[in-house]
Amino acid sequence: AFALPAGSAAYVGAAALGAALGGYDYSAYLSATGDHRPGLRTAMVLVDDQRDPDLRAALGRAEVLAETVCFARDLINTPPRDLPPAGLAERAVALADGVADVSTEVLDEQALREGGYGGLIGVGQGSHRPPRLVRIAYRPAGATAHLALVGKGITFDTGGISIKPALNMHAMKSDMSGAAAVVAAVVAIARLRIPVAVTAYVEDGHPDHDAIPVPASVRWLAPLDEPGNALAAARAHRGGLCRARPVADGGGRAVLCRAGPFRRLPVRE
């Protein structure tokens, strides 16, 4: 037990948020018969007056932040086999579903190809799991500023021919942490009713899961995974320029440059 100086709304919110985040536990793949001790399930914050609107607002804010941060942590901890680009897109849309003034759009591989999204399509050719582009927009009434967020959603990346060191290869399941953070951020902003318009792009790919070194007689590498190839990204790069790729391990950069045309966004659309 801890005695915290919870005499103000700021202290109450900090105590609640700290308890929720500190008690986070990811046990989705643990058996019920093991000796795992589950994380915090319930926290009680004692206050002088539970009807105080400032205290209730602080607790509500802490709850929103804790839920969205833990959502991002869950995504990051999910094994890549169970979180392909389509799955990441579905979970992003599900989190935003029903939140006031929030709209979502998902482009599949056909829409990406038709729209000229060369960077994302090119990277996605290295896998049997096709890419996705998720757009989440928050448009509150009276917004006077517009924030643009772009999240890298590479669900796993071996590096292809330019293979990454084996020692920490398992950590590449977190290569989509940027996407998880962006999705959580825009939904948190919307739920907290912050008067700022937000447009978030989450670019989901699984570039090199299949693109591992193989003999030339069994050639199944995507063209983008050959070092020295040029990537024609009509809308991935401002001005429709091609991009030379000196190494195969550059999928994240190839998809993130897609955000170039959105650096300046209007406050109202």
Side-chain angles (χ1 to χ4, degrees):
F2 294 91
L4 301 174
S8 69
Y11 282 135
V12 168
L17 181 58
L21 296 182
Y24 172 80
D25 176 60
Y26 186 74
S27 56
Y29 292 82
L30 298 179
S31 65
T33 58
D35 58 358
H36 173 71
R37 299 179 62 184
L40 183 68
R41 290 293 178 261
T42 304
M44 181 177 294
V45 180
L46 302 180
V47 298
D48 294 331
D49 183 1
Q50 63 179 354
R51 295 170 297 181
D52 186 322
D54 291 337
L55 297 182
R56 295 179 69 86
L59 287 173
R61 180 178 182 274
E63 181 179 16
V64 169
L65 294 177
E67 289 179 356
T68 49
V69 168
C70 290
F71 167 85
R73 290 177 176 181
D74 283 348
L75 286 184
I76 295 167
N77 283 320
T78 301
R81 178 180 179 180
D82 293 336
L83 193 68
L88 178 54
E90 290 172 1
R91 292 176 68 170
V93 170
L95 184 70
D97 185 44
V99 179
D101 299 323
V102 172
S103 61
T104 59
E105 178 186 14
V106 178
L107 301 184
D108 61 14
E109 64 272 28
Q110 180 177 347
L112 291 170
R113 189 172 292 107
E114 292 173 353
Y117 292 72
L120 199 49
I121 285 294
V123 169
Q125 288 180 120
S127 173
H128 67 286
R129 295 178 159 188
R132 294 290 186 271
L133 176 66
V134 183
R135 178 181 183 271
I136 306 177
Y138 169 53
R139 297 292 184 270
T144 58
H146 196 150
L147 176 66
L149 300 174
V150 181
K152 173 186 173 184
I154 302 299
T155 55
F156 197 84
D157 188 1
T158 65
I161 287 180
S162 306
I163 195 165
K164 299 177 185 294
L167 180 61
N168 294 312
M169 181 73 80
H170 65 281
M172 291 311 298
K173 72 175 186 179
S174 65
D175 210 18
M176 39 60 63
S177 300
V182 164
V183 172
V186 65
V187 172
I189 290 170
R191 289 181 58 185
L192 294 173
R193 307 304 301 165
I194 297 175
V196 175
V198 182
T199 302
Y201 288 91
V202 176
E203 310 191 42
D204 307 333
H206 196 94
D208 298 314
H209 180 71
D210 297 330
I212 57 176
V214 294
S217 59
V218 190
R219 188 177 183 280
W220 58 327
L221 296 177
L224 186 58
D225 294 311
E226 298 169 342
N229 264 357
L231 170 62
R235 290 181 60 186
H237 298 27
R238 186 177 289 271
L241 301 177
C242 289
R243 174 181 180 271
R245 194 180 186 193
V247 296
D249 185 18
R253 283 158 283 177
V255 300
L256 282 175
C257 65
R258 167 72 184 89
F262 305 107
R263 286 180 297 181
R264 294 194 179 100
L265 293 169
V267 174
R268 298 179 180 85
E269 292 184 342

